[in-house]
Amino acid sequence: MPTVRDASFDLFRAQGMTTIFGNPGSTELPMLADFPADFRYVLGLQEAVVVGMADGFAQASRRTAIANLHTAPGVGNAMGAIFNAQANHSPLLITAGQQARAQMTMQANLTNRDATRLPHPLVKWSYEPPRAADVPHALARGALLASLPPAGPVFVSLPMDDWDAEVDELDAQEAIGRGVDGRAVAAPDSVRRLAEQLDSAESPVLVAGPDIDAGGGWDAAVGLAERQRLPVWATPAPGGGKLGFPEGHPNFRGVLPPAIGPVAQTLEEHDLILVAGSSVFPYYPHIPGPLLPEKATLVAITSDPDEAARAPMGQAIVADVALTLAALLEAVPESTRPAPEPNPGPTEIPAEDPLNSSTVHSALAEVFPEDGIVVLESPSSTLALRNQLRLSRPGSYHFSAGGGLGFGLPASIGVQLAQPDRPVVCVIGEGSVQYAVSAFWSAVAYDVPVTFLVLRNSEYAILKWFAEVESVSGAPGLDLPELDTAAIAEGYGIAAHRVRERDQVREALAAALASSKPELVEVPVAPGMWLF
Ligand SMILES: Cc1ncc(C[n+]2csc(CCOP(=O)(O)OP(=O)(O)O)c2C)c(N)n1
């Protein structure tokens, strides 16, 4: 009879999950015994890094990824990253080792007491199998559930003495062979009604969100915008974990501001707002105002029932975003409305001394490869990067929809492991680096050739901006003098380059992009917030 270990690894194989991100402890070692040669173990030196790498890998491979953590403290360390994975709709099977069953009730050392409660409310499902023989089925259930809409993390606690137990071969085969398909298109009536509403509107607009790209709906969104002559806004940046629309496309207008009043103001001239693949809306900060422009109607298409229910206004259709956009595209005629005003393109940025984030991003744009991917965690220059780069291919942008720092560095490594043929640039603030700094080690250990672009403004720039918005003066703890990221990265074995002029930035980035090793380019930039 096969063991729990045999059956579980066969399940991982069958689900295409042969990369395991982890940080092991004594409670996880039995799972890893005789680690099969067709699997890859990617070690993260802290659990935030483990889950961050798995998050990037899952998103860029569009498959469920496994993160194996060390009992309670490992899960504790990973909570911020699990929060991000949930906001990113990232399908993760998170497992953690547990004390041997015989010692759980006495709560021997390392027992994960209340293991299933610990990761709530950040996971879709949390479980500890009642018998060793149930482990493969529980892992199958978790992996399938993680992938179903809305995709997200699940958690399974695994007692350390289960792995050599035997399982019934036929039962295991049934569990291993299972598959589920959760992509459902909206009812034909809803699609027809929405098509009529769209075509008869005077001035409709499309707001494109991250789940368009996650579901492969990019072409349908472009087709719909072109056929219906829709101007397109990207959903506000905090929630835009991926791009739903090519930002160099003539119909693209820009990124919506992230607050109630300003969103209504920006969409003022429209009578129908069609939102696809985004929550309505990822607002922050709180700037009150009307939720919608006067006389405007809003319809959202989302695969997430919770997103649909919690929206403060409008109608919603819960269905697969890509399939529903494709059905809508079929159902609408070519519109005779005037074409939207042309996309103004990137703002021209003069080279200044000292450099600022906008200048650096304009230099990055000059060398950025067509198939490049950006993983972004540079809070004060998010909009400047979007403006300068105008990313226009699917799967080229990853940003933490949850806003918890510590995503960028490990996620960029996960993305690069999933997309070895596309160059990955991690654009990150020096403050953000510190939340998952040991990810540098994994990049070196597994030869992951990410280019890290670190913007060194010696402060928490965005928090100084927020202080102004919130009328807060005199807050401590917003400056970061002497934080030498290049030296820290060198300590982990990364080749780091310090550059100070625009031409040097361009050259250093071009060289790092061409290199097959992880490299870091650190640029001192002027403080402040950079919007263009
Ligand atoms: C886990 C976590 N802790 C704290 C914050 C609050 N926070 C948001 S932005 C920011 C500053 C980031 O600094 P840096 O990366 O240097 O970027 P800058 O604002 O200078 O562009 C902080 C601390 C957060 N978002 N997540």
Side-chain angles (χ1 to χ4, degrees):
M1 288 218 283
T3 61
V4 167
R5 188 183 298 103
D6 299 332
S8 299
F9 278 81
D10 279 348
L11 166 78
F12 298 154
R13 268 186 203 100
Q15 296 291 333
M17 304 191 301
T18 53
T19 299
I20 296 180
F21 298 90
N23 184 269
S26 52
T27 42
E28 292 69 39
L29 289 175
M31 170 179 170
L32 304 175
D34 301 320
F35 196 69
D38 58 330
F39 276 70
R40 164 168 69 170
Y41 186 82
V42 179
L43 174 64
L45 300 189
Q46 205 265 15
E47 288 81 357
V49 173
V50 173
V51 172
M53 290 193 295
D55 187 349
F57 189 81
Q59 289 191 59
S61 64
R62 295 199 180 145
R63 283 175 169 279
T64 304
I66 317 178
N68 183 230
L69 311 177
H70 177 55
T71 179
V75 175
N77 281 348
M79 287 296 266
I82 300 173
F83 171 83
N84 282 335
Q86 188 191 46
N88 291 336
H89 288 171
S90 198
L92 295 189
L93 173 58
I94 300 172
T95 60
Q98 169 66 295
Q99 202 14 292
R101 285 180 188 270
Q103 299 201 112
M104 282 165 61
T105 305
M106 69 179 79
Q107 209 177 304
N109 198 21
L110 292 180
T111 301
N112 190 356
R113 179 186 127 179
D114 276 346
T116 57
R117 199 148 64 108
L118 185 60
H120 274 287
L122 305 179
V123 294
K124 292 168 69 174
W125 182 64
S126 183
Y127 198 63
E128 192 166 70
R131 303 174 305 165
D134 298 319
V135 166
H137 188 181
L139 291 170
R141 182 172 165 185
L144 297 176
L145 195 57
S147 71
L148 286 169
V154 301
F155 176 75
V156 184
S157 165
L158 298 168
M160 60 188 290
D161 53 342
D162 283 358
W163 295 96
D164 289 321
E166 291 184 335
V167 293
D168 180 85
E169 188 157 8
L170 290 178
D171 286 359
Q173 273 171 9
E174 292 295 349
I176 290 163
R178 298 202 58 235
V180 293
D181 184 347
R183 302 186 69 201
V185 71
D189 266 4
S190 305
V191 174
R192 192 178 35 75
R193 258 200 314 275
L194 181 54
E196 284 166 11
Q197 216 178 339
L198 191 59
D199 194 48
S200 61
E202 211 159 281
S203 173
V205 63
L206 174 65
V207 177
D211 282 351
I212 293 180
D213 194 19
W218 189 276
D219 290 344
V222 172
L224 186 68
E226 290 177 353
R227 191 173 296 173
Q228 277 287 303
R229 306 201 166 183
L230 306 173
V232 182
W233 287 87
T235 202
K242 286 184 270 299
L243 301 185
F245 199 82
E247 304 206 328
H249 189 282
N251 292 30
F252 184 70
R253 306 299 310 144
V255 184
L256 279 182
I260 293 174
V263 166
Q265 233 167 32
T266 308
L267 300 177
E268 204 167 37
E269 70 200 54
H270 300 290
D271 57 347
L272 176 65
I273 299 164
L274 174 61
V275 183
S278 166
S279 65
V280 175
F281 282 109
Y283 297 122
Y284 197 80
H286 182 220
I287 304 178
L291 289 164
L292 286 175
E294 218 186 325
K295 293 194 199 120
T297 307
L298 181 145
V299 182
I301 306 170
T302 170
S303 63
D304 182 346
D306 187 60
E307 240 169 46
R310 72 177 193 250
M313 74 288 202
Q315 310 300 311
I317 297 175
V318 178
D320 183 88
V321 176
L323 294 178
T324 304
L325 284 177
L328 195 57
L329 175 60
E330 292 276 297
V332 290
E334 186 87 39
S335 171
T336 52
R337 269 180 221 113
E341 279 173 43
N343 182 341
T347 311
E348 220 166 283
I349 302 292
E352 280 171 19
D353 190 25
L355 288 179
N356 62 52
S357 301
S358 292
T359 327
V360 172
H361 295 330
S362 73
L364 170 64
E366 284 174 23
V367 296
F368 192 73
E370 248 214 86
D371 58 347
I373 300 176
V374 168
V375 180
L376 180 62
E377 193 169 85
S378 165
S380 63
S381 77
T382 303
L383 291 177
L385 182 127
R386 297 274 287 268
N387 180 301
Q388 291 300 320
L389 251 64
R390 302 289 166 148
L391 296 165
S392 289
R393 282 186 51 162
S396 12
Y397 178 78
H398 295 276
F399 179 90
S400 170
L405 300 178
F407 168 81
L409 223 51
S412 67
I413 295 167
V415 168
Q416 182 75 85
L417 287 168
Q419 296 281 349
D421 299 328
R422 294 182 65 177
V424 175
V425 181
C426 174
V427 179
I428 190 160
E430 93 254 70
S432 298
V433 166
Q434 292 303 320
Y435 293 79
V437 65
S438 67
F440 283 137
W441 183 89
S442 302
V444 173
Y446 301 99
D447 253 338
V448 190
V450 174
T451 297
F452 301 100
L453 169 58
V454 177
L455 300 173
R456 180 174 182 177
N457 57 13
S458 303
E459 63 176 8
Y460 283 156
I462 197 161
L463 298 188
K464 291 190 177 176
W465 177 83
F466 269 117
E468 269 178 43
V469 172
E470 295 170 13
S471 306
V472 169
S473 57
L478 303 182
D479 289 300
L480 302 177
E482 308 301 330
L483 186 51
D484 188 346
T485 310
I488 293 165
E490 277 165 351
Y492 283 100
I494 302 251
H497 312 275
R498 295 169 174 87
V499 291
R500 302 187 158 271
E501 285 166 22
R502 194 180 184 286
D503 285 349
Q504 294 173 341
V505 174
R506 218 186 41 230
E507 281 157 28
L509 286 172
L513 278 158
S515 143
S516 55
K517 300 252 168 240
E519 295 201 17
L520 181 141
V521 176
E522 188 199 62
V523 194
V525 288
M529 186 79 170
W530 301 91
L531 302 177
F532 303 106

